[in-house]
């Protein structure tokens, strides 16, 4: 267990164990890795202190989806793979991807051993790209004429990667016709 704790401390995430008992109560008896940085909790001698309840740490908008994904995984014993916002000890939020493999114990409880990774940087980059795309689409919608991007494929054929909506008014065709 000490070696696992050492590995967990060096990875950019958290190793955890989640347990759902037969009555549906969920607990996290194990938290290894960057628990202090992420949740404000210490780990001792490679063993983690109990983790706070998920409801208190998962963003309110994301909690119902997380709970549904946990129940589906418990029912099917399929791998749990879910993205959500989590609250740090200081009250700010960050994005995580949680991946865990479940198994059923003899007493009927379901146990997941998993990892959680910080994906905030990726989520932020995606949001910035979507905002940029939205701004560019608004500009294209308001320019007179049409805007398009035509590329020559490796096989020698031409393809339109983008055609502005203005082609409707100019030519009476839908932009999708150029795809």
């Amino acid at each position: 267990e000490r070696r696992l704790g050492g590995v967990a401390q060096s990875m950019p995430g958290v190793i955890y164990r989640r347990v759902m008992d037969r009555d549906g109560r969920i607990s996290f008896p194990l938290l290894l890795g960057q628990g202090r940085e992420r949740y404000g909790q210490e780990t001792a001698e490679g063993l983690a202190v109990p983790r706070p309840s998920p409801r208190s740490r998962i963003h309110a908008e994301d909690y119902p989806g997380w709970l549904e994904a946990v129940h589906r995984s418990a029912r099917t014993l399929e791998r749990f793979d879910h993205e959500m916002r989590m609250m740090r000890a200081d009250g700010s939020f960050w994005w995580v991807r949680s991946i865990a493999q479940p198994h059923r114990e003899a007493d009927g409880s379901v146990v997941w051993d998993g990892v959680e990774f910080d994906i905030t940087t990726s989520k932020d980059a995606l949001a910035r790209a979507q905002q940029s795309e939205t701004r560019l689409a608004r500009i294209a919608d308001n320019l007179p004429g049409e805007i398009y991007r035509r590329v020559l494929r490796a096989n020698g054929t031409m393809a339109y990667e983008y055609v502005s909506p203005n082609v409707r008014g100019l030519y009476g065709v839908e932009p999708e016709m150029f795809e």
Side-chain angles (χ1 to χ4, degrees):
E1 287 185 17
R2 274 184 191 226
R3 279 189 261 168
L4 180 59
V7 169
Q9 281 300 107
S10 67
M11 65 177 265
V14 173
I15 296 173
Y16 67 87
R17 173 167 280 185
R18 175 176 52 232
V19 178
M20 179 188 285
D21 68 21
R22 289 186 326 202
D23 297 328
R25 286 187 301 256
I26 298 171
S27 63
F28 288 81
L30 183 66
L31 173 70
L32 295 174
Q34 299 175 356
R36 180 169 179 70
E37 295 85 3
R38 295 174 187 274
Y39 303 107
Q41 290 184 251
E42 297 284 353
T43 57
E45 302 290 318
L47 297 174
V49 296
R51 183 173 170 177
S53 96
R55 186 177 283 284
S56 70
R57 292 293 187 183
I58 298 173
H59 192 284
E61 293 174 8
D62 299 340
Y63 183 78
W66 173 83
L67 191 59
E68 204 277 295
V70 168
H71 283 283
R72 181 176 48 252
S73 178
R75 194 172 51 253
T76 64
L77 294 182
E78 291 177 0
R79 185 173 89 161
F80 178 85
D81 191 339
H82 193 72
E83 295 178 1
M84 67 208 143
R85 290 166 288 181
M86 299 287 292
M87 186 171 47
R88 290 186 178 100
D90 67 5
S92 64
F93 285 94
W94 52 296
W95 280 96
V96 300
R97 180 173 181 195
S98 179
I99 304 168
Q101 187 61 48
H103 66 273
R104 193 169 313 280
E105 294 284 309
D107 66 359
S109 63
V110 178
V111 176
W112 291 262
D113 293 313
V115 293
E116 221 172 63
F117 294 100
D118 185 344
I119 60 169
T120 305
T121 302
S122 299
K123 287 288 193 176
D124 289 347
L126 180 60
R128 285 191 305 275
Q130 289 170 337
Q131 289 170 349
S132 180
E133 188 174 311
T134 299
R135 276 194 306 273
L136 289 174
R138 281 192 207 126
I139 292 169
D141 289 350
N142 292 300
L143 288 175
E146 68 179 287
I147 299 174
Y148 62 88
R149 180 175 179 171
R150 186 172 65 180
V151 296
L152 176 62
R153 293 181 179 153
N155 66 5
T157 62
M158 299 296 279
Y160 289 88
E161 289 185 346
Y162 175 80
V163 177
S164 65
N166 295 353
V167 298
R168 281 187 205 100
L170 293 170
Y171 307 112
V173 296
E174 293 297 316
E176 294 79 25
M177 291 182 62
F178 291 91
E179 293 178 359

